[in-house]
Amino acid sequence: MQPSYNHLPEKLKNHYFIARHGFSLANNAKLICSNPDIAIPSVGGPLNTGWGLHERGKCQVKEKAATLAEHLFTKLHVKPEDIVIFCSPFVRTRQTADIIQSVLNASEPIPNIELRERFYGEYDMTSDENYHLCWQDDASGPDHGEHSDKGVEAPSSVCDRTTQFIVDHIESKLENKTVILVAHGDVCQIMQTAFMRTDAWRHREMQHVDTADWRAMNEEVVISHP
């Protein structure tokens, strides 16, 4: 049974892809960067340009966007004008979406706060080794990360806000579009659980979405390009 916090309708009007941002300055610094107040502004970070993409990440995104273009235009015969890109407003996801848009010759990406990174509470701006503590909490019953004593956002909350966004801003307004959702690691993993109609806390059981990777969500065969 589909969880109550998953708002996706049984039949979708559009064709969905998720894409994770490229290798970022925060990845390079081995930091968790999940607070919108820190991650959205184009200031701060090691270069005072915001916590955006590392040069390595920009190259990653260009390479993976080329494989996405091949898939969309050669296999699916999608037209650029039928592609709509939404992204988290974090600098690293906006930069990723802009590169994808340029490669696909699609319309300008649309940022939306509901696609933001999962918030890691007290672990924000600490070592990324702490992700594993969050994932252990997610996998442990009976709460499965619902009441974190560190203020970490629950997987169900991420699923709730992202799927409600899809319903309110995409499914209710668009039809027969190819929609690319550019987001973050755990957000992409949790969105996979939504499209698979399973529990959000099982997100680490889903096939891993690496930096700059993309994945089709509602094709007959889920295609990954790691």
Side-chain angles (χ1 to χ4, degrees), residues 19-142:
R20 183 180 172 186
H21 65 78
F23 186 79
S24 68
L25 294 172
N27 293 143
N28 190 60
K30 299 187 181 303
L31 289 174
I32 295 173
C33 184
S34 66
N35 186 338
D37 292 340
I38 296 173
I40 291 178
S42 297
V43 293
L47 305 175
N48 200 30
T49 55
W51 287 96
L53 293 180
H54 189 277
E55 288 302 316
R56 170 182 160 190
K58 295 175 183 178
C59 293
Q60 276 185 332
V61 176
K62 289 177 184 177
E63 292 173 0
K64 292 301 179 71
T67 68
L68 178 56
E70 173 73 15
H71 181 72
L72 293 178
F73 300 142
T74 303
K75 180 177 179 181
L76 301 182
H77 307 292
V78 172
K79 297 178 181 178
E81 57 266 30
D82 290 329
I83 298 172
V84 184
I85 304 172
F86 293 92
C87 65
S88 158
F90 283 25
V91 176
R92 58 190 185 264
T93 36
R94 294 201 318 266
Q95 291 176 339
T96 298
D98 285 343
I99 294 170
I100 294 172
Q101 179 269 331
S102 177
V103 172
L104 300 182
N105 194 30
S107 57
E108 185 174 347
I110 305 167
N112 191 286
I113 193 65
E114 302 304 339
L115 295 175
R116 68 189 180 276
E117 173 67 292
R118 180 185 184 185
F119 183 57
Y120 290 94
E122 293 180 23
Y123 294 121
D124 191 63
M125 299 309 290
T126 68
S127 169
D128 60 8
E129 289 295 320
N130 289 321
Y131 281 130
H132 297 281
L133 299 177
C134 302
W135 299 335
Q136 288 171 13
D137 193 32
D138 293 344
S140 300

Side-chain angles (χ1 to χ4, degrees), residues 26 68 124 155 167 175 180 193 197 201 209 219 225-226:
L68 178 56
D124 191 63
V167 170
E175 193 168 349
I180 302 171
T193 69
R197 318 288 172 160
W201 63 265
V209 184
E219 286 187 330
H225 290 259

